[in-house]
């Protein structure tokens, strides 16, 4: 029953998609457990670039069942657009399953996100304007719509009749924006439900069944630890829990079912949006990282703020995620810098502090205390063995590993999956012998039960009925049943 969580140790954009991609051969199921279309995974496969926002990166492999878990907030239109994009590029989408309990990002959430940010002018969070915060707020307020609600037009209308007047009042009276029309909203949401019906199921049951069968389940976090609602740099955070614990609440696994947590980090730091960032660089080195590292947001295209690696929050991130090993990405981007700095403590109000402060105000006053390392000139793109790294690069990786206190097992030196150094074996997992696994020929398509297929949507499903798993009837799972 192995379950691996892949979690970002910084402010997101650490390259978690590549980690999933690298492990894909052994994995039967990939589960997204939080966030929404604020995230962006870029995966380079065979020279082709795929940018995904909602669908887990495992979708590119026919043997993997991609799951959007209950902890995700789903913009149904984004999901439909992403499914269409994948199909147009020859990627099968009929295996994708979406939790019936996942909350729906409605158009009023998107409008409110933008309006609330505009009102904070000068003090804004710098959100992605995707409606993430308002959707999670409605979930906590217990007035949210869940994916299962999209399948029940009458109940859907009743819920919208209750919630929409309140949303419209805020939009119109507080923000001076136009209201949403109830009938139009019900029609749009019903259409989403109609088109997504085959994908909407009880995903916790699927995850638990996979684990009971001894399949390897990978739970994929979006964003990163420092954007975590509880442990991040509040209020400059996202509205969910990217940390590994979020995989339990949002992915449907119990804490003791997770036996591996791979923390993913870059060899330097980036941040998108507002909030304190002690090691930020506004100079030529920052520009080197931005340009050479292509540090532009996958979702918004915004420039990422760039800086030196900060080991102060690293210690916190390793602890709160129970990280068992680390994947270090983008080491190649540091080539050509005369020296490399690593922040090991802060000086705050004249005191040296080694703990990451939970107060944003304190963090905003933190001055980094750096250790300086020799740089290297060599291009690392072709390096495949640790021994072939320049001495200075090895020294830097060793220092990061020492500060983290857990092994750095994998080092990435380029976007492609082969541009990878397997440095150490991962604890609790079979040794890979220092070789990046090639993806085996796809196993027979695995299909998990879906809802009954209503007429007229066969084009969304491909050959769903060809090869049911477990002897269960494909399309036989809980037809039309809505969550309570
Ligand atoms: P929200 O998640 O759109 O509400 O944005 C809250 C904060 O999280 C902002 O600073 C965003 O820039 C940041 N954020 C959200 N998603 C990502 C991501 O995938 N990568 C990096 N930053 C993100």
């Amino acid at each position: 029953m192995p379950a691996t969580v892949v979690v970002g140790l910084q402010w997101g954009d650490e390259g978690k998609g590549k980690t999933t991609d690298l492990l894909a051969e052994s994995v039967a199921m990939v589960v997204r457990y939080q966030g929404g279309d604020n995230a962006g995974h870029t995966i380079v496969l065979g020279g082709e670039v795929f940018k995904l926002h909602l669908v887990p990166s495992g979708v590119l492999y026919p043997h993997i069942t991609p799951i959007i878990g209950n902890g995700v907030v789903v913009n149904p239109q984004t999901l439909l657009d992403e499914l269409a994009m994948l199909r147009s590029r020859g990627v099968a989408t009929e295996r994708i399953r979406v939790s019936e309990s996942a909350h729906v990002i409605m158009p009023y959430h998107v409008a409110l996100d933008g309006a609330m940010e505009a009102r904070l002018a000068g003090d804004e969070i710098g959100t992605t304007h995707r409606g993430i915060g308002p959707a999670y707020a409605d979930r906590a307020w217990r007035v949210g719509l869940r994916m299962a609600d999209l399948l029940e037009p009458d109940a859907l209308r009743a819920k919208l009749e209750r919630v929409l007047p309140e949303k419209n009042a805020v939009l119109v009276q507080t923000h001076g924006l136009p209201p949403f029309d109830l009938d139009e909203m019900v029609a749009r949401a019903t259409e989403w439900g109609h088109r997504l019906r085959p994908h909407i199921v009880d995903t916790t049951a699927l995850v638990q069944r996979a684990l009971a069968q001894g399949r390897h389940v990978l739970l994929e976090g979006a964003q990163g630890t420092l954007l975590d609602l509880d442990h991040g740099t509040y209020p400059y955070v996202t509205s969910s829990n990217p940390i590994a614990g979020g995989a339990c609440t949002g992915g449907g696994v119990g804490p003791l079912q997770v036996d591996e947590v791979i923390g993913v980090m870059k060899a330097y730091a980036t941040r998108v949006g507002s909030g304190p960032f002690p090691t930020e660089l506004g100079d030529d080195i920052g520009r080197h990282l931005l340009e050479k590292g292509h540090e532009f947001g996958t979702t918004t295209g915004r420039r990422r703020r760039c800086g030196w690696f900060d080991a102060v929050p690293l210690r916190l991130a390793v602890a709160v995620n129970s990280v068992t090993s680390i994947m270090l990405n983008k080491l190649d981007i540091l080539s050509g810098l005369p020296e490399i700095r690593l922040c090991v403590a802060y000086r705050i109000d004249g005191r040296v502090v080694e703990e990451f402060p939970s107060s944003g105000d304190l963090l905003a006053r933190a001055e980094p205390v750096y250790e300086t390392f020799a740089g290297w000139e060599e291009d690392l793109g072709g390096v495949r063995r640790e021994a072939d790294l320049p001495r200075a690069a090895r020294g830097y990786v060793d220092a990061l590993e020492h500060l983290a206190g857990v092994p750095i097992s994998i080092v990435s030196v380029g976007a492609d999956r082969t541009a990878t150094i397997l440095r150490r074996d991962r604890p609790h997992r079979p040794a890979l012998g220092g070789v990046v696994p090639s993806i085996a020929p796809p196993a027979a398509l695995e299909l998990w039960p879906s809802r009954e297929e209503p007429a007229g949507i066969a084009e969304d499903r491909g050959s769903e009925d060809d090869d049911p798993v477990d002897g269960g009837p494909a399309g036989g799972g809980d037809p039309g049943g809505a969550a309570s």
Side-chain angles (χ1 to χ4, degrees):
M1 64 107 182
T4 298
V5 176
V6 172
V7 61
L9 300 182
Q10 297 164 301
W11 278 288
D13 308 315
E14 299 93 350
K16 298 176 288 293
K18 177 164 172 174
T19 319
T20 306
D21 184 47
L22 209 58
L23 305 182
E25 189 190 37
S26 71
V27 168
M29 187 176 264
V30 176
V31 186
R32 257 290 294 277
Y33 59 80
Q34 45 70 232
D37 59 340
N38 50 349
H41 285 326
T42 304
I43 302 150
V44 182
L45 188 69
E48 259 201 274
V49 179
F50 290 86
K51 289 185 188 292
L52 299 171
H53 298 286
L54 259 179
V55 175
S57 28
V59 71
L60 300 183
Y61 298 103
H63 65 282
I64 290 179
T65 299
I67 303 270
I68 296 176
N70 60 279
V72 176
V73 282
V74 179
N75 182 323
Q77 192 55 54
T78 308
L79 179 57
L80 285 164
D81 291 346
E82 209 156 281
L83 296 180
M85 180 276 290
L86 286 164
R87 279 197 301 271
S88 74
R89 295 178 67 180
V91 178
T93 57
E94 65 270 17
R95 291 163 294 121
I96 296 168
R97 296 289 176 265
V98 185
S99 169
E100 58 196 9
S101 305
H103 277 248
V104 181
I105 298 181
M106 295 295 286
Y108 47 80
H109 292 134
V110 179
L112 284 168
D113 194 359
M116 283 150 73
E117 281 283 273
R119 272 174 80 84
L120 288 171
D123 223 2
E124 63 268 35
I125 306 292
T127 74
T128 57
H129 289 215
R130 295 296 188 272
I132 306 295
Y136 277 117
D138 275 2
R139 181 176 85 157
W141 239 351
R142 293 151 298 182
V143 296
L145 297 177
R146 307 204 290 180
M147 292 303 287
D149 292 324
L150 302 182
L151 307 175
E152 300 286 331
D154 291 342
L156 176 70
R157 174 175 286 277
K159 287 182 181 173
L160 277 170
E161 273 170 353
R162 277 197 300 276
V163 77
L164 197 58
E166 207 167 310
K167 299 297 172 194
N168 278 340
V170 176
L171 283 167
V172 174
Q173 288 161 28
T174 309
H175 300 292
L177 289 171
F180 287 93
D181 178 70
L182 175 70
D183 290 337
E184 199 271 327
M185 193 101 310
V186 172
R188 213 187 316 178
T190 305
E191 171 67 11
W192 288 332
H194 181 66
R195 295 179 64 195
L196 290 170
R197 173 178 282 268
H199 301 281
I200 300 172
V201 295
D202 174 358
T203 55
T204 300
L206 298 190
V207 172
Q208 287 299 330
R209 188 186 310 176
L211 289 170
Q213 290 174 353
R215 315 275 187 109
H216 186 186
V217 173
L218 191 147
L219 297 119
E220 186 177 61
Q223 290 88 42
T225 302
L226 303 181
L227 288 174
D228 186 272
L229 184 58
D230 289 273
H231 297 283
T233 53
Y234 191 90
Y236 301 102
V237 292
T238 193
S239 299
S240 63
N241 289 111
I243 61 163
C248 296
T249 52
V253 296
L256 296 183
Q257 289 179 312
V258 175
D259 65 343
E260 179 182 41
V261 179
I262 300 182
V264 186
M265 62 193 203
K266 284 191 286 211
Y268 51 94
T270 62
R271 170 162 212 174
V272 199
S274 321
F277 182 6
T279 63
E280 184 169 11
L281 293 166
D283 57 9
D284 283 352
I285 297 171
R287 247 189 317 281
H288 168 109
L289 299 173
L290 175 82
E291 285 166 11
K292 192 165 177 197
H294 304 294
E295 296 294 353
F296 296 91
T298 317
T299 301
T300 59
R302 286 182 291 179
R303 276 165 171 258
R304 296 179 185 143
R305 300 156 66 193
C306 297
W308 294 120
F309 191 95
D310 191 346
V312 181
L314 174 63
R315 288 187 276 265
L316 170 77
V318 167
V320 295
N321 289 300
S322 295
V323 169
T324 54
S325 71
I326 288 176
M327 175 161 174
L328 175 67
N329 281 329
K330 289 193 159 182
L331 185 63
D332 53 307
I333 304 304
L334 300 183
S335 292
L337 294 174
E339 62 177 30
I340 290 162
R341 292 182 160 197
L342 181 50
C343 174
V344 293
Y346 300 141
R347 189 165 285 109
I348 304 178
D349 303 334
R351 275 187 323 117
V352 173
V353 174
E354 291 188 347
E355 307 279 310
F356 191 65
S358 61
S359 149
D361 287 345
L362 276 186
L363 190 61
R365 297 206 298 278
E367 293 166 38
V369 176
Y370 286 119
E371 273 181 20
T372 302
F373 293 77
W376 61 89
E377 279 300 322
E378 296 90 326
D379 176 28
L380 305 186
V383 177
R384 299 291 176 269
R385 296 184 322 144
E386 186 183 16
D388 296 335
L389 284 172
R391 216 177 125 100
R394 270 183 281 144
Y396 181 63
V397 176
D398 287 344
L400 285 175
E401 184 174 64
H402 177 73
L403 287 163
V406 291
I408 295 180
S409 302
I410 307 169
V411 176
S412 168
V413 289
D416 199 84
R417 69 192 307 278
T418 58
T420 305
I421 300 165
L422 298 181
R423 186 170 172 268
R424 294 193 197 290
D425 291 331
R426 280 148 51 215
H428 318 304
R429 287 291 181 265
L432 293 173
V435 179
V436 176
S438 62
I439 291 294
L445 186 66
E446 281 186 17
L447 292 169
W448 298 84
S450 78
R451 283 173 192 272
E452 202 170 49
E453 178 179 329
I457 57 162
E459 72 277 9
D460 273 343
R461 301 196 54 196
S463 56
E464 185 98 35
D465 291 336
D466 290 351
D467 188 14
V469 77
D470 302 330
D478 189 20
S484 57

